[in-house]
């Protein structure tokens, strides 16, 4: 059933995109706006790469493999192989089809087009129906200070160094909201925080000027990225320990957001410690597109106070 609503959803890559796919199917065309993290973005092989925007775009275009979540289904890596032979760094795997995205984006950015306009153009070309916005057109970047004293740009920390233990996350760069970001939040009936990494996906969006204040005016529903005491994927469990001194649990994520979050969706039986928010227990593992849709539908009903 589609709902006559406007939804703004903050998203990182894979976790956020899985939920966005479900939300899109619950809403009339154009009513979903994804506000996407750019803290992960990098320059590699001379190209401008936006991993979270690309994951969201490919997922909503039904190009992403459902299980892996990122990249393009059936992708090949001939260019990577050729680059390796030429001595180029090969720790960040860019697929052959994926390269077309980065080539187009890099060319447009070099011409002076803002990232938001470039993203809109790519989404149009790929028939994405929802609005996909970078949180900012500015080069806002996440850096990770590790316990062993290094400071690394996000992708070097995550991919090249395989996520060594963290002492601190640092955001660097200007942070003006991209066009339509604040407007989308102001017009939204519900704001959704996808089950994205709170430290390195959602925080860099909330750090953009005006975003946190705009969220405060709305019901905000978060989906827990922690299921069964573990991150579904990625380094979040260790990060909660390292940055908050907390065992991985939905309540640790909610406490990170504090009073900003009014509604929480957690896996069944995992509502422990969630006081002062409205909690829905549901099946939160989005292993199929249908599961994403069912979860999104329950989440919207929950946020709107509809009894199920
Ligand atoms: P990234 O940028 O690709 O790391 O993606 P996000 O930050 O958007 O999402 C990463 C988080 O999503 C991880 O902490 C995972 O635990 C969580 N996640 C991924 N898939 C699922 C899922 O199907 N259900 C839930 N509840 N969380 C998920
Ligand atoms: Ca990411």
């Amino acid at each position: 059933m589609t709902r006559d609503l406007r939804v703004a959803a903050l998203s990182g890559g894979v976790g956020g995109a899985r939920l966005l796919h479900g939300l899109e199917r619950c809403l009339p065309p154009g009513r979903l706006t994804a506000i996407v993290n750019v803290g992960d973005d990098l320059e590699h092989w001379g190209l401008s790469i936006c991993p979270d925007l690309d994951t969201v775009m490919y997922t909503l275009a039904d190009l992403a493999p459902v299980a892996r979540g990122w990249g393009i289904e059936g992708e090949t890596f001939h260019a990577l192989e050729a680059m390796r032979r030429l001595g180029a760094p090969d720790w960040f795997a860019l697929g052959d089809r994926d390269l077309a995205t980065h080539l187009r984006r890099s060319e447009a950015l070099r011409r002076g087009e803002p990232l938001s306009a470039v993203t809109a153009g790519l989404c149009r070309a790929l028939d994405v129906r929802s609005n996909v916005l970078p949180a900012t057109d500015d080069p806002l970047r996440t850096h990770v200070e590790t316990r062993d004293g290094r400071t690394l740009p996000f992708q070097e920390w995550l991919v090249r160094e395989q996520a060594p233990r963290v002492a601190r996350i640092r955001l660097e760069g200007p942070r003006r909201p991209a066009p339509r970001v604040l407007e989308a939040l102001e017009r939204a009936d519900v704001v959704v925080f996808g089950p994205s990494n709170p430290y390195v996906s959602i925080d860099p969006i909330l750090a953009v000027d005006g975003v946190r204040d705009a969220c405060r005016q709305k019901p905000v529903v978060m989906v827990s990225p922690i299921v069964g005491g573990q991150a579904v994927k990625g380094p979040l469990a260790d990060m909660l320990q390292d940055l908050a001194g907390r065992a991985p649990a939905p309540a640790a994520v909610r406490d990170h957001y504090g009073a900003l979050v009014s509604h929480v969706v957690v896996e069944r039986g995992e509502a422990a410690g969630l006081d002062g928010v409205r909690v829905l227990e549901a099946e939160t593992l989005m292993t199929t597109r249908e599961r994403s849709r069912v979860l999104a539908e329950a989440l919207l009903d929950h946020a709107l106070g509809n009894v199920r």
Side-chain angles (χ1 to χ4, degrees):
M1 188 173 71
T2 65
R3 283 154 176 74
D4 190 21
L5 291 174
R6 286 181 205 283
V7 175
L10 278 51
S11 177
V14 173
R18 284 182 172 146
L19 185 64
L20 289 170
H21 195 285
L23 286 167
E24 185 177 85
R25 289 177 59 190
C26 299
L27 298 167
R31 296 296 187 86
L32 174 65
T33 300
I35 301 173
V36 181
N37 172 42
V38 298
D40 295 15
D41 293 5
L42 72 161
E43 296 278 318
H44 192 71
W45 298 353
L47 301 174
S48 299
I49 298 160
C50 304
D52 288 357
L53 278 169
D54 291 339
T55 297
V56 166
M57 191 168 69
Y58 294 154
T59 300
L60 293 179
D62 279 322
L63 293 172
V66 176
R68 188 180 64 191
W70 57 270
I72 294 176
E73 179 83 65
E75 184 62 288
T76 54
F77 290 89
H78 301 296
L80 177 65
E81 185 56 43
M83 288 295 275
R84 188 180 290 136
R85 286 196 65 180
L86 296 178
D90 63 355
W91 57 269
F92 198 83
L94 297 177
D96 297 327
R97 292 178 182 80
D98 186 34
L99 267 177
T101 301
H102 312 313
L103 287 164
R104 291 290 284 172
R105 175 190 292 126
S106 303
E107 184 190 31
L109 290 173
R110 266 198 305 277
R111 274 201 311 267
E113 236 180 82
L115 181 60
S116 51
V118 178
T119 304
L122 291 169
C123 284
R124 246 191 325 274
L126 295 178
D127 295 326
V128 172
R129 300 189 293 141
S130 296
N131 312 303
V132 177
L133 309 177
T136 175
D137 283 330
D138 291 334
L140 176 61
R141 295 288 174 266
T142 301
H143 293 262
V144 183
E145 293 181 12
T146 64
R147 280 192 177 174
D148 58 15
R150 291 174 288 168
T151 299
L152 299 166
F154 180 80
Q155 298 296 345
E156 291 182 28
W157 168 74
L158 179 71
V159 181
R160 197 188 67 198
E161 303 299 323
Q162 303 281 299
R165 302 299 288 254
V166 175
R168 204 162 84 91
I169 304 293
R170 226 169 56 201
L171 282 177
E172 284 176 12
R175 40 191 81 183
R176 293 165 298 176
R180 295 166 62 214
V181 165
L182 297 184
E183 181 195 324
L185 289 167
E186 279 153 18
R187 295 184 71 192
D189 298 294
V190 177
V191 173
V192 176
F193 291 3
S196 295
N197 188 307
Y199 296 106
V200 291
S201 291
I202 302 294
D203 278 1
I205 305 172
L206 292 174
V208 168
D209 295 338
V211 169
R212 189 178 283 273
D213 282 340
C215 291
R216 266 192 246 285
Q217 316 302 319
K218 301 288 170 173
V220 173
V221 52
M222 66 156 258
V223 177
S224 175
I226 299 290
V227 179
Q230 296 180 326
V232 178
K233 70 175 262 298
L236 177 59
D238 281 349
M239 294 176 91
L240 284 166
Q241 192 65 59
D242 291 348
L243 295 169
R246 298 279 298 265
V253 178
R254 143 39 218 275
D255 291 350
H256 176 76
Y257 296 128
L260 203 53
V261 162
S262 56
H263 296 70
V264 174
V265 182
V266 296
E267 190 62 27
R268 290 188 201 285
E270 301 189 8
L274 290 165
D275 306 317
V277 275
R278 293 170 194 275
V279 181
L280 174 72
E281 297 188 14
E283 285 171 19
T284 63
L285 283 177
M286 295 176 278
T287 48
T288 65
R289 295 301 185 217
E290 183 57 13
R291 279 169 172 261
S292 292
R293 187 190 64 75
V294 170
L295 176 62
E297 200 160 300
L299 172 157
L300 292 176
D301 281 342
H302 178 55
L304 295 167
N306 296 347
V307 179
R308 289 171 66 80

